[in-house]
Structures are given as C-alpha cells and as structure tokens.
Amino acid sequence: MTTHQHLGTDAAGTPLVAGPRPPDDEFDALPDGADLDAARVVRAHEVQDGDLILADFPETEPGAPREADYFTTAYTAHLGSLCGECRECHTDRYAIGDTPDYQIRYAVLDFTPGDGCDIWLRNEPVLIIPATVTR
C-alpha cells in the first residue's frame, strides 16, 4: 500500500480504507517476498493457510470508514479449530466455549498449541497478502 486506498466495504457496507504501512523502523520488517502492492481485504473465513495477516479494521462511529490498523508484527495464518480450552476460547467477548454454532460464527486464523487461539468473527475484514503471492 503506497497511498491511502479504498479497499471495498465490510458486510454492513461501511467503507474500508488503508493508508501506507508504517516504516520498518516503527514496525517489524515484512518477510522476504512480501509485496504490499498485493495486499487485499478478505473476510476472516476466506483467509488461507500461509496468508500474511497485516491488519484488522476496528469499528468506528456510524458512517465513518473503517481504517486498517496494521499489526506491529505481521503474522502468517495457521488455520485451526477452536481448542475450547485456552483463555481466548473462554473470554466473555467471544463467549464461544460451549456454543454449538462456533464453527459457523468464528474463524481461527492462528492456532499454535500452548499459545491459544487467534479468533475472529468469520465475516470480519482482514488485510492480507495472499500466500500465493511472492516476488
């Protein structure tokens, strides 16, 4: 992302925008071969194993666009299922520990045994660089 760009809308029709990623002296460098020009928005359930996850889009005031909030350290998606035992699986925010529809409502974008689950609502927008894009 070299300029401020409109990247589509979320499920409710709210515009999604992204400015340039902060420089590497403020954020960790991206892995070799990561091409920011290939970044795109997908829904959390569309993330593929190996995609590089760059940012989420926090909720804003009604009518205001949702701007990409870049993660200090981009991370690679390692898809999995909810473990049901970690702190993330039992937080009040997600309240998914025993819900029968958890696989319909949520996606786990990073599952590392012992580190917990990285849980997203399945339709949340995610800024990624697809695993299939390399330089």
Side-chain angles (χ1 to χ4, degrees):
M1 297 279 137
T2 54
T3 61
H4 210 77
Q5 295 183 20
H6 180 272
L7 300 171
T9 61
D10 66 11
T14 304
L16 302 171
V17 297
R21 184 175 186 269
D24 288 344
D25 61 341
E26 295 177 31
F27 281 58
D28 293 340
L30 294 176
D32 289 340
D35 180 5
L36 274 176
D37 290 332
R40 63 186 178 100
V41 175
V42 298
R43 306 271 189 254
H45 73 273
E46 298 170 325
V47 171
Q48 300 293 311
D49 209 50
D51 288 349
L52 187 63
I53 300 174
L54 301 173
D56 64 359
F57 293 84
E59 294 286 338
T60 59
E61 297 175 18
R66 293 173 67 177
E67 187 164 349
D69 184 16
Y70 289 95
F71 299 125
T72 304
T73 303
Y75 64 96
T76 302
H78 299 287
L79 305 180
S81 297
L82 297 169
C83 73
E85 297 181 13
C86 68
R87 179 175 49 91
E88 290 78 8
C89 283
H90 288 287
T91 61
D92 290 338
R93 178 174 174 210
Y94 295 106
I96 58 176
D98 295 322
T99 57
D101 64 345
Y102 67 88
Q103 290 183 340
I104 296 169
R105 297 176 59 205
Y106 301 94
V108 177
L109 302 188
D110 188 20
F111 175 73
T112 307
D115 285 342
C117 297
D118 181 22
I119 304 167
W120 294 61
L121 288 167
R122 72 178 268 108
N123 285 323
E124 277 299 303
V126 184
L127 184 64
I128 66 161
I129 297 175
T132 56
V133 177
T134 58
R135 275 198 169 203

